[in-house]
Amino acid sequence: MLPGEQMDSATCKRVSDLLARVGDKWTLLVVGSLGAGPLRFNALRRQIGDISQKMLATTLRNLERDGMINRHVLPVTPPQVEYTLTGFGCEFLRPASAFADWAAQNAHRIEHARASFDRQHRDVPPA
Amino acid sequence: MLPGEQMDSATCKRVSDLLARVGDKWTLLVVGSLGAGPLRFNALRRQIGDISQKMLATTLRNLERDGMINRHVLPVTPPQVEYTLTGFGCEFLRPASAFADWAAQNAHRIEHARASFDRQHRDVPPA
DNA sequence: CAGTATCCTTTCCGATACTG
DNA sequence: CAGTATCGGAAAGGATACTG
């Protein structure tokens, strides 16, 4: 994008769509975890901590559909399924990490802004 | 972040939080619109198109709380309220734009991946 | 182990009506 | 003009039980 030029409305909408997908409660956690290497379903689940079985399955399916991860079923019993980032998924991890870095470095500023805002507006609220 | 090192779990969670905030249906559209210059409430509303009054008010309040925008009330009748990006908001627009660029440039790849995935999985679904 | 199916609660968000 | 208040439908997401 040219400096000074902001996103046009149509582009912004598509971006917003993707951001909504990726900005959901779990997607970034999953992609981040897989960024360190392949993981199986339950390993992934333990790594993330408090994700429900349902949401992990849904998130993984969406990421697979979007071409970000590969699902590899090992023909053993009991079955094992290994998830890995695709090349596309790795590419995605770059701007995501840049964004993540900014967020991590500025989180305290946001918290401060919130505290300040709340302080100035905690008046007259209830009876 | 060091290359090769992915985000740790705690950082990832904060980032995920911010992404969820920013990745909601309207935030990025509002910030993007304000990136081009200050706008008043209804001007912003027209620019974005189909946002409801309620969601615009909510989104603006959240952004103000996070220190991303300033709300300036002009003492005239009828009242006018002008919204502008803060310095912090402008800084935020950088990584957001980087992310947005990637998303815009790769949107077609995602669409293709989805179509391909759906093609391979449209079998045996109903009775 | 790796899921799917179902239920149920919570949250989101649009429509509408009203206010300073 | 710039909001707030209230309501109701839709969607997200957790808990639990079940399956290959």
Side-chain angles (χ1 to χ4, degrees):
Chain A
M1 185 152 38
L2 288 66
E5 186 211 355
Q6 298 314 330
M7 351 179 190
D8 69 273
S9 183
T11 299
C12 202
K13 225 154 216 150
R14 283 191 307 191
V15 169
S16 196
D17 277 1
L18 179 60
L19 218 54
R21 269 278 352 273
V22 138
D24 72 2
K25 212 172 169 186
W26 302 113
T27 298
L28 197 66
L29 275 328
V30 171
V31 174
S33 295
L34 288 179
L39 284 173
R40 303 225 318 267
F41 189 87
N42 278 333
L44 205 38
R45 202 177 166 194
R46 275 186 298 274
Q47 174 115 355
I48 292 176
D50 57 352
I51 189 172
S52 70
Q53 212 170 21
K54 174 187 175 178
M55 289 317 296
L56 180 54
T58 303
T59 302
L60 286 169
R61 177 168 285 265
N62 284 331
L63 283 171
E64 189 195 357
R65 187 167 108 99
D66 287 353
M68 300 273 192
I69 64 177
N70 273 135
R71 179 175 179 272
H72 188 61
V73 181
L74 306 177
V76 299
T77 61
Q80 299 187 351
V81 181
E82 198 169 65
Y83 292 93
T84 59
L85 281 187
T86 62
F88 189 49
C90 289
E91 287 179 45
F92 165 76
L93 208 46
R94 286 180 179 286
S97 292
F99 195 102
D101 284 349
W102 186 92
Q105 280 163 22
N106 291 279
H108 69 284
R109 292 220 263 166
I110 292 179
E111 282 177 44
H112 183 267
R114 284 181 188 175
S116 170
F117 181 91
D118 292 347
R119 215 177 307 117
Q120 286 176 358
H121 290 82
R122 60 140 161 57
D123 47 355
V124 210
Chain B
M1 185 151 39
L2 287 67
E5 187 211 355
Q6 299 312 330
M7 353 180 189
D8 69 272
S9 182
T11 300
C12 203
K13 225 153 216 152
R14 284 190 306 191
V15 169
S16 196
D17 277 0
L18 179 61
L19 217 54
R21 271 277 351 272
V22 138
D24 72 3
K25 213 171 169 186
W26 303 114
T27 297
L28 197 66
L29 276 326
V30 170
V31 173
S33 295
L34 289 179
L39 284 174
R40 303 225 316 266
F41 189 87
N42 279 332
L44 204 39
R45 201 177 167 194
R46 276 186 298 274
Q47 174 114 356
I48 292 175
D50 57 352
I51 189 172
S52 71
Q53 211 171 21
K54 174 186 177 176
M55 288 317 294
L56 181 54
T58 303
T59 302
L60 287 170
R61 178 168 283 267
N62 283 332
L63 284 171
E64 190 196 356
R65 186 167 109 100
D66 287 354
M68 300 272 193
I69 63 176
N70 273 134
R71 180 174 178 273
H72 189 62
V73 182
L74 306 176
V76 299
T77 62
Q80 298 187 354
V81 181
E82 198 169 67
Y83 292 93
T84 59
L85 281 187
T86 61
F88 189 49
C90 289
E91 288 178 46
F92 165 76
L93 209 46
R94 286 180 179 287
S97 291
F99 195 103
D101 284 349
W102 186 92
Q105 280 163 22
N106 291 278
H108 69 284
R109 291 220 264 168
I110 291 178
E111 282 176 45
H112 183 267
R114 285 182 187 174
S116 171
F117 181 90
D118 292 347
R119 215 176 308 115
Q120 287 177 357
H121 290 83
R122 61 142 162 53
D123 47 355
V124 211

